[in-house]
Amino acid sequence: MSSIPAGVPTREIYWNVPFHDLLYVFLVPTLAIAAWGVYRRVRLWRAGQPILRFDRLGERLDLFVKDVLAQGRVVRSSYAAFFHTGLVIGFLVLFAATTVVAIQADLKIPIMQGPFYLFFQSLTVDLFGLYVLVGCAMAGYRRWKTKPAKLVYTDEATRLVLLIGVISLTGFLCEGWRIAVTDDPWGGWSPVGFVFAAASDSMMSDSLMKTLHTGTWWFHMALSFGFVAWAPYTKMLHVLTSPLNIFTANLDGYGASLKPLDFEKAERLGVNALTDFTWKDLLDLDACTECGRCTAVCPANTVGKTLSPRDIILDLRELMHNNAPALLTTLGANGAGTKGADSSAPAGAIDAAATLPPVIREGTPLDPEALFSCTTCAACMEACPVHIEQLPKIIDARRYLVMEEAEFPEGMMNAITSLESRQHPFPGTQFNRTDWAEGLGLDVLGDMEDPTEAEVVFWVGCGGALVERNRSTVRATAKLLKRAGVKFAILGREESCTGDPARRIGNEFLYEMLAKGNVETLNKYGTKQIVTSCPHCFNSFKNEYPQFGGDYQVHHHSQYLQELVEDGRLLNGKDDVEKKLDRKVVYHDPCYLGRHNGEYKAPRALLDGALNTKREEVARSGRDSFCCGGGGGMMYIDEKPDQRVNQERASQLLESGADTVAVGCPFCATMLEDGVNARKGDREVSVMDIAELLLEAAGDDEASAPVAE
Amino acid sequence: MKILVCIKQILDPDMPARDFKVNAETKEAERGGANLVTNIFCENALETALQIKEKTSGKVTALSYGTDDTEDSLRKALAMTVDEAALILREGDSNPDAEAVAKVLAAAITKLGEFDLILMGRESGDWGVGQTGGLLAEELGLPSLAFVDSIEANDGTLTMRRQTDSGTETATVTGPALALITNNEFNVPRIPKTRDVMMSYRKPLEKFSLADIGLSAEDVSGSSFYEVTDLSIPTKDVQCEFVEGDSIDEKIGVLASKIQPVVAANS
């Protein structure tokens, strides 16, 4: 380092390491092996169907900054947040330090000196190296001591933790011996190395330290190179795949995560081969870090059902890797891989695809029983730090079972059959679509001389009109709209199911028919705005109907009523409620309003305006809410008595000590009323829709729904 | 084996009771907002036919006498993998009686060709008369068996099991025959696969007028078979009274004194 004047802080690169140029010889095969490891995965993804995920680059960059660089989702778990962030930043800092060495040693640009050397290359690098070491210790402690059930325990994971730890430790040893032997005047700027130096100095001679230094240095390098070469063959590949997966994530929210199907062209309805998935679905598989957060929050899994979103991903990943040759054959036969096996694909591609094993297999995580216990609540997707899309894969598999095999649970079959012949999923209902409105004198669009006089269509929904429990909810909503002087009308008998249950159960064909029919009806009346008290209907209108030419401004009733309150049209403004409620209320977020569509505030604001008391919150609320058990067609299934999601959720809500569970969804109301009745013991607890509570606050006699018995 | 299944489209029996209305003038049920569905026993008959086809081979034809709306029921039959369907279009508004329907079906079957087996539901969920099958067998000169819950086909013979009040009877039939199907656990109608639903729109469904099958409106009207003289919905009268009293014993006493005259009046 003759170019640097004496007295300027720096250190000698490759001190005490003869033949260090050999590094470059080893670097070539190391990088080649690593590159092959990455390439062999990337080429498999290309066997998937096309999907556009490189659009809207600005939004994608935002997400990348938020959830890759800032580890936005990883840090939701504080323990993992600490050690994983340490490993990530530690890796980045150490990589920067290596780059600095390369700039100095190979490009001969003297930057590794002066304050930069002291503050960054010595102090910062040392501290973050320590952070990596602590991170490994914490990861190891979790893996070998606390052993949470959500993790996957493999030898590979053990070796990775040990390897990173040993690399970090040997780095400090080398640094320590160098500081000790060279009597480095700047050694104190490397506090960890300095401690090692001091300890070694008191125990061994300079020559011993020099010998050990050379050996350990090469050992450190061998491990580091070995790590780089091996990593792409392990789950460490997630260092590349997870950021890519986050960058190519679905930007439209969980409510818009299901793909439309082209019935004219689709060779197979739904998915039962790896090549039926999109390339992004296949990338998802390799992006999984096995953290298990998805399964830990899954309501079906929590109550003891076999569904495990994590294991679905890991099973598919294994299937993909075990069938790599067959997948690659489909790719070759197709010529242009990402075009997928479309109908014009040469026969070779179809033959190759035929040799792929089915993805739905009994006794595996993709067992039909597991697939048909998903409530489509999207908790798994919200929990995933790397934006893996578990739910669409489950629905893709359901589509295959429902549409190609017609094999699905009886309760769902009854709902589907009823949807086909009666356009609602409740066979045996004793109500028609207008019974609930008796005596309210509501306008029905079809009977109006000028339907455009109705500024808003109140979409009642099957769960509101045809289920006894919820008739008071839709009645309360209509009464409140009337009180506020909203010019609205209902469709009455012309309303039919939006198709949400059909779509979630997996019958995309029936869903499309219902959706097209509804769009036709609504457009016939020139509908512009829709209010609905059902979050499932809300989701269909908001995220799914635009595909069929149904563009409406849609409001959940909590949003619309809250606007009316804020505008002073209802309850004369929120501070002037006629009869503030003394109930102790806990609010349960419906999945299709909250997680799927991001509305957490309006229902809470509405309740807070109507209550005298402070509203309760439970741990699983908002973004982390726990499903009532009724979504995804599960409403129509008779769950085993000891595996009822609604009862589990009821217990969580009862723990708040509330006497009233407020809901904003007819499915939640039905499911939670059953659940609360089963779990409340001798307490008096009622389950009420926010509209019912608001009407009670408005002093309406009819408001009080029966208290649960 | 060539099998023909006669199916009937009826008002949805699952419609809410309060929506069900009858017209005292025409002595018919009113459609109102109710849906039309395939009669359940007819679907059991379809399922039975399809299972025989799948075990042996052959062809299943579905036939109905109805209106243009009835096409939906026939399309559903096609979606269940029936091979072809025929619809005889009814003329006039009123629902014909069993004798008229039997005449129409017989003429239609004669036009459609020869069949080894004709299946029907044991009765329809609207009127529940249960006579059409027997009358059709008479028109066609075929042996018939009612309340059949399973059929096995072996080398040209058909083994049919029928339910009776005291158990089951088994009959072996050779040659063309007609059976009226009742439900059992093996003939629960299948849920069509979506692929088959899509295909059902490409399968043949022929529509015929009465003239096409050699009948005139007079041939099928003014039947003397039976006459509906009155049609009304039974009214239910419910009275509810809560027994008052300060103690359980007193309540029991009051209850007993209220029940006694009712029991006495009915014994």
Side-chain angles (χ1 to χ4, degrees), chain A residues 84-103:
Chain A
H84 191 268
T85 311
L87 290 173
V88 171
I89 304 176
F91 259 75
L92 290 175
V93 168
L94 294 178
F95 182 72
T98 310
T99 311
V100 168
V101 169
I103 291 171

Side-chain angles (χ1 to χ4, degrees), chain A residues 267 403-404 422 430 432, chain B residues 12 17 19 35 193-195:
Chain A
E267 264 188 36
M403 293 195 287
E404 293 283 7
R422 304 179 192 98
Q430 282 310 302
N432 68 35
Chain B
D12 185 0
D19 273 6
N35 298 288
K193 297 174 181 174
T194 300
R195 180 74 65 193

Side-chain angles (χ1 to χ4, degrees), chain A residues 263 266-269 403-406 408 413 417 420-423 427-432 435 493 507 509, chain B residues 12-19 21 32-37 76 191-198 201-202:
Chain A
F263 286 95
E267 264 188 36
R268 198 196 317 264
L269 304 177
M403 293 195 287
E404 293 283 7
E405 302 288 335
F408 53 113
M413 278 189 183
T417 311
E420 278 168 349
S421 51
R422 304 179 192 98
Q423 293 79 49
T429 177
Q430 282 310 302
F431 305 104
N432 68 35
D435 286 341
R493 289 185 186 276
N507 195 331
F509 187 73
Chain B
D12 185 0
D14 260 350
M15 80 166 94
R18 68 186 74 189
D19 273 6
K21 303 216 165 52
N35 298 288
L36 297 169
V37 299
K76 268 183 197 160
I191 298 282
K193 297 174 181 174
T194 300
R195 180 74 65 193
D196 294 327
V197 173
M198 289 158 65
Y201 292 92
R202 295 179 202 166

